[in-house]
Amino acid sequence: MGIAYIGAALLRAGEDVIVTDASLNDLSIDETVEQALRNDPHVVGVGFTTPIYHRAQEIAAEVKKRSPGTVVVFGGPHASALPEATLRQSKVDFITIGEGEESMPGIVRAVREKKDPCNVPSIMYRWNGHEGGTTVYRLRVIQDRATTKKAPDLNDVPIPARELFDYLQYSDHARGFVEPQTGAMFSRGCPGKCKFCGAAETTVRWRNLDNVLQEMHQVADMGIKNVFVMDDTYTVNRARILDLSRRLQEEGISDRLTFQVQLRLDQIDPEVCDALYASGVRYVGPGIESGNQAIIDAIGKGPKESRQHMLEKVRMLQQYDWHVRCSYVLGMTDETEQQMRDTIEFAKILTDNPGMRAKHENAFTILVPYPDSPLWHVAKERGIVTDDMDFKSFLYYEPFTKLSANLSAVPTARIQELQLYAYEVVGNPAYSLDKTSDMSTGSGDAPFVPAAMREEYNSARQA
Ligand code: B12
Ligand code: SF4
């Protein structure tokens, strides 16, 4: 979605844009760079998360080797969280910090017109022999207003340019959503304060419902059938979600699209669930995180959250004919083995419900304090991470990788055993891809990422 938004902003600015999706096509670094350079571009932009940062660095170095005159821009969550270190460590000219819809066209214009980029918002650069940075966007509630800039109005941001992608090739086979799928973002930010999460205490900004509906009509007209709404918490504004659900039905979108959403259990009731289901929602992802009350309190899930409350709300979700994906985290700060076992036991209770209509999924992940999440700073204080560390070790899905930043009271090898044990005893009934993989990042559905079931996956895709 990030790249689709950047592409749309560049198209609006009158630029020519080509997108290479290295993940979709399992491209090697060489193949990625070859495709990215195929039309001899002025600028190559690369977007990435922390675990694939090293791949982005390899791509940048290879682009510079083959085409020294091409300007390289890094953007996305990792570069935004650690811009100085990223600029220092990588062969790049520009880094966009936070949302890039204004910054990227500004950079391209500066490059083409050979102008100083000092007026481009929220960037760092190494340009014409000097390094610099401009005022960054204010994306968190705690950021100082005097030294930051208001982020763009989401209604002025163009609709993502899906047409730049092979957009009918994306789907969710593991969950049985085999028809074309896309992502979408109806709002940005989350008011939650969960200590392990990078979205904690970000400023929430909304798109008008007219703007959202316009995009959904476009998506349906493209032949896409399923939309993964990537909002951090779909249900954060009750009145809006009831309104949106009603309009999706009134405008006939619910007959053409199904939706996958992430929600919070303290924000749902039967009226909200009925509205979600009627509007086409067929997958809901509540965050459970822990089954131990002391941990639930410590991670800031909200004063009202408890085991009993979550049990009642999950039972409510299980009454509908949709996927319920419960996610759990092992390895919270100072967490003990008994507390992790409480989580596994709670997951078993939630999963074993013979009367449920829903298809049930479980995701047990091991905590990684990603840069910019509140726990990154805790890990830094404990001296177990630095901005300049090798982030390859953040690939915790590999069975034999040492977890790079274990904040819990349990040795890493033991947490990995508990994670396997959780999948063994609780299971993951509605998730169907094999668990073996040689891929190193993924969606958090199994300890060994399923994406490398390439034969099955690719033949399903071709079919
Ligand atoms: C949906 C999602 C997923 C989906 C992706 C599905 C898909 N097919 O796209 C799945 C489940 C697969 C997934 C997996 C992972 N995810 Co995820 N995911 C998200 C989520 C919720 C939405 C992403 C999104 O589309 N956002 C909307 C777009 C508009 O925002 P954006 O991507 O940030 O893009 C903007 C800017 O970053 C920038 N930008 C982005 N790319 C580029 C490129 C250039 C050139 C430029 C100039 C600018 C730019 O401009 C964009 C427009 O404003 C985010 C949280 C969030 N709210 O963003 C987490 C998030 C991206 N995920 C995160 C993580 C950690 C992961 C995993 C590592 C989890 C794991 N251990 O497996 C993997 C990594 C996968 C990978 N290969 O990189 C973290 C990343 C933190 C970090 N420091 O890297 C996030 C931020 C969540 C969080 N708050 O902690 N994820
Ligand atoms: S875990 Fe969910 S509710 Fe908590 S801050 Fe992150 S996105 Fe918000």
Side-chain angles (χ1 to χ4, degrees), residues 45 67 102 174 296 318 323 351-352 371 374 393 397 413 437 440-441:
S67 177
E102 292 179 333
I296 293 169
Q318 287 173 336
H323 284 247
T351 306
D352 292 346
S393 57
Y397 284 114
S437 170
S440 37
T441 60

Side-chain angles (χ1 to χ4, degrees), residues 190 192 194 196-197 199-200 232-233 264:
C190 177
C194 309
F196 56 88
C197 177
D232 293 313
T233 319
R264 268 178 69 143

Side-chain angles (χ1 to χ4, degrees), residues 67-85:
S67 177
T70 300
V71 167
V72 179
V73 183
F74 271 4
H78 184 81
S80 299
L82 298 175
E84 288 94 352

Side-chain angles (χ1 to χ4, degrees), residues 103-120:
S103 316
M104 186 65 171
I107 290 170
V108 174
R109 196 166 47 246
V111 168
R112 202 168 1 83
E113 294 172 4
K114 299 191 172 48
K115 281 199 177 136
D116 196 306
C118 61
N119 291 325
V120 179

Side-chain angles (χ1 to χ4, degrees), residues 209-411:
L209 293 189
D210 286 345
N211 185 287
V212 170
L213 267 294
Q214 186 196 344
E215 180 178 346
M216 291 304 101
H217 280 292
Q218 200 186 83
V219 163
D221 290 345
M222 292 170 100
I224 293 167
K225 303 290 182 199
N226 180 41
V227 179
F228 177 2
V229 186
M230 294 172 174
D231 296 31
D232 293 313
T233 319
Y234 190 64
T235 46
V236 72
N237 182 335
R238 190 173 190 281
R240 176 183 156 99
I241 226 56
L242 292 176
D243 229 16
L244 171 63
S245 304
R246 185 180 45 77
R247 287 199 53 189
L248 288 169
Q249 289 171 76
E250 281 172 5
E251 298 195 21
I253 299 285
S254 314
D255 301 328
R256 306 174 73 197
L257 296 175
T258 53
F259 295 91
Q260 298 177 292
V261 305
Q262 311 183 97
L263 48 74
R264 268 178 69 143
L265 294 173
D266 59 350
Q267 293 165 349
I268 56 163
D269 55 37
E271 191 185 356
V272 169
C273 290
D274 286 348
L276 295 180
Y277 190 79
S279 70
V281 173
R282 292 295 175 269
Y283 165 106
V284 291
I288 310 292
E289 326 307 0
S290 173
N292 175 277
Q293 194 59 50
I295 295 289
I296 293 169
D297 295 341
I299 59 179
K301 263 184 82 73
K304 280 187 280 172
E305 207 44 282
S306 68
R307 253 175 88 119
Q308 183 55 29
H309 178 256
M310 289 196 283
L311 174 65
E312 286 162 19
K313 293 298 177 83
V314 169
R315 290 289 180 253
M316 184 190 293
L317 290 175
Q318 287 173 336
Q319 290 168 23
Y320 295 80
D321 179 19
W322 54 20
H323 284 247
V324 178
R325 178 195 196 256
C326 291
S327 53
Y328 305 89
V329 180
L330 304 175
M332 298 288 194
T333 313
D334 301 325
E335 190 173 16
T336 64
E337 174 157 343
Q338 186 51 52
Q339 289 172 321
M340 293 180 205
R341 285 177 174 276
D342 289 349
T343 297
I344 297 168
E345 181 230 330
F346 187 47
K348 179 91 180 130
I349 294 170
L350 295 181
T351 306
D352 292 346
N353 176 7
M356 75 168 118
R357 290 188 68 208
K359 300 173 193 72
H360 195 84
E361 264 184 55
N362 295 304
F364 298 96
T365 52
I366 301 178
L367 182 113
V368 178
Y370 283 105
D372 224 17
S373 68
L375 290 187
W376 171 255
H377 303 287
V378 174
K380 241 177 154 175
E381 276 160 27
R382 291 189 180 183
I384 52 180
V385 297
T386 65
D387 293 359
D388 289 294
M389 69 186 282
D390 178 1
F391 286 99
K392 278 206 283 290
S393 57
F394 269 53
L395 301 174
Y396 67 91
Y397 284 114
E398 287 179 12
F400 306 109
T401 305
K402 277 192 277 165
L403 184 64
S404 55
N406 182 356
L407 294 172
S408 79
V410 179

